[in-house]
Amino acid sequence: MKTVLISGAGIAGPTLAFWLRAGGYAPTLVERAPALRSGGYVIDFWGLGYDIAKRMGLLPAIERAGYRVKEMRIVDDHGSRVAGFGTDVFDELTGGRYVTLARSDLSRLLYGTVCDGIETIFDEEIVALEQQPDGVDVRLRRVGKRRFDLVVGADGLHSQVRRLVFGPTETFERNLGYSVAAFEARGYRRRDENVYLMHNRPGRMIGRFALRDDRTLFIFVFEGHADGLAAQKAKLHDLYRDVGWECPGILHELDRSDELYCDRVSQIKMDGWSRGRVALIGDAAFCVSLAAGQGSALAMISAYLLAGELARANGRYNEAFDSYEARLRDFIAAKQRGAERFAAAFAPRTPWGLWFRNQIVRTFAFLPVARLAVGRDLADRLSLPDYRWEEDGPPALK
């Protein structure tokens, strides 16, 4: 029981490959994109994700790649501050283990831990799976048929593995009513270092964050959805053309961009995360949504636990899958509930809702209030087991 095909080379996939190799397995990564994905948005990284990154030897690189955000600031049409708070509460509640970084940078660092030691097939996807008593026959779009002992879907909200084995996405997806879009521009003249700025109209949010190398990240959260780059740009123009602040300039930068990340703000809820020799991790199994702010760390946690349980079970994959899910399910359910509570705070749908959200945000200037409001969602009430990895595991473990 040694060969494992992992679909997805984002966050969960490379993390799982690292720890599977530490446990004596032979993982293969398959990724639909022709290369590691770039762009997207920044993520907040804290808690047990920090612990796993430390065990992988990645903390110094993550700290270098990341940003220490000092303030979240809500501004009006003229750019004047109407609400906001400093990030002291996050540093306090996480013991200083809190950093903001581009999701693509975290993916790159994770993949760097395994890229020289395992097989990776880019520009490829699984088109069929057939489980046999002694393995899984996998048909890949370009390569053709391969056999593996196990298959793991680490391929996100729109998981192909989940669709092939468990059923269509709509069976498990719970749309929280919003979409998110993000793109980068170079040379945007207004910069506020280490400050996340946000401007709202009912049902719409637009934010910006200054990145290194004279780049700026822009993020939109809005009601509805559109497919295709041209349609997505047209929808954003339609939604934001009458919005003040810096929107005219931001829409101009949008027109110049060839890349735009756009997706629904959704959760995945399933009764079980495995079937036979196939298991799911990360967003493929339990997407908590953008609103939780912790999806990447949760993906790493699930990868670590699945690899560890497989190593502990010594080939008894059914036992390993059950133990992995038993350890994680209640923890994930709590994170999903927190995201549901927080989702509407991005883009309240009414003027009254915006006013009320801003009053709540103002109270975060008082640490006891902020601690009470967000403490339970920031805390990771889960213990990571210390699994016994093989002595010839990855160099970072030695």
Side-chain angles (χ1 to χ4, degrees), residues 193-321:
E193 304 293 338
N194 293 319
V195 176
Y196 182 80
L197 285 95
M198 185 168 73
H199 178 70
N200 281 95
R201 290 288 177 85
R204 293 165 287 176
M205 184 277 280
I206 185 168
R208 68 167 166 86
F209 184 75
L211 303 173
R212 298 184 183 90
D213 303 322
D214 199 26
R215 296 172 298 135
T216 300
L217 172 69
F218 300 100
I219 300 179
F220 306 80
V221 177
F222 53 93
E223 295 180 277
H225 189 68
D227 293 316
L229 180 61
Q232 289 163 353
K233 286 186 175 183
K235 185 169 186 66
L236 291 174
H237 269 279
D238 183 56
L239 288 172
Y240 290 88
R241 70 173 72 255
D242 63 339
V243 177
W245 188 45
E246 301 170 13
C247 279
I250 294 172
L251 291 175
H252 175 70
E253 296 292 342
L254 173 66
D255 289 338
R256 298 170 55 192
S257 175
D258 295 327
E259 293 188 5
L260 176 67
Y261 168 86
C262 191
D263 208 346
R264 297 183 295 272
V265 178
S266 297
Q267 294 183 337
I268 294 295
K269 295 192 174 183
M270 305 180 67
D271 292 333
W273 300 335
S274 66
R275 183 167 293 174
R277 293 173 174 266
V278 179
L280 303 173
I281 61 173
D283 283 355
F286 51 73
C287 181
V288 292
S289 85
L290 172 75
Q294 203 179 358
S296 294
L298 297 178
M300 293 174 65
I301 293 168
S302 67
Y304 175 85
L305 289 175
L306 179 60
E309 293 302 324
L310 282 168
R312 173 181 285 172
N314 193 29
R316 299 183 299 276
Y317 62 90
N318 284 322
E319 176 183 319
F321 292 167

Side-chain angles (χ1 to χ4, degrees), residues 119-230:
E119 178 186 18
T120 304
I121 312 172
F122 285 102
D123 192 23
E124 185 60 281
E125 63 179 328
I126 300 171
V127 295
L129 289 169
E130 186 175 347
Q131 299 199 50
Q132 306 292 351
D134 57 348
V136 186
D137 291 330
V138 179
R139 183 167 298 281
L140 301 170
R141 175 172 52 83
R142 290 189 303 106
V143 174
K145 188 176 180 180
R146 296 273 298 269
R147 170 167 282 209
F148 297 88
D149 294 317
L150 302 171
V151 174
V152 178
D155 43 354
L157 173 64
H158 307 288
S159 170
Q160 173 79 338
V161 172
R162 187 184 62 234
R163 185 185 67 80
L164 290 171
V165 178
F166 297 86
T169 297
E170 52 266 28
T171 304
F172 310 105
E173 182 179 4
R174 182 174 183 271
N175 194 327
L176 298 185
Y178 295 94
S179 289
V180 59
F183 75 98
E184 290 181 13
R186 191 176 295 275
Y188 189 74
R189 64 187 179 88
R190 296 181 179 177
R191 294 179 65 85
D192 296 83
E193 304 293 338
N194 293 319
V195 176
Y196 182 80
L197 285 95
M198 185 168 73
H199 178 70
N200 281 95
R201 290 288 177 85
R204 293 165 287 176
M205 184 277 280
I206 185 168
R208 68 167 166 86
F209 184 75
L211 303 173
R212 298 184 183 90
D213 303 322
D214 199 26
R215 296 172 298 135
T216 300
L217 172 69
F218 300 100
I219 300 179
F220 306 80
V221 177
F222 53 93
E223 295 180 277
H225 189 68
D227 293 316
L229 180 61

Side-chain angles (χ1 to χ4, degrees), residues 268 273 286 288 298 328-337:
I268 294 295
W273 300 335
F286 51 73
V288 292
L298 297 178
L328 202 53
R329 180 164 286 278
D330 289 346
F331 176 72
I332 294 298
K335 295 294 183 180
Q336 288 186 325
R337 290 193 295 270

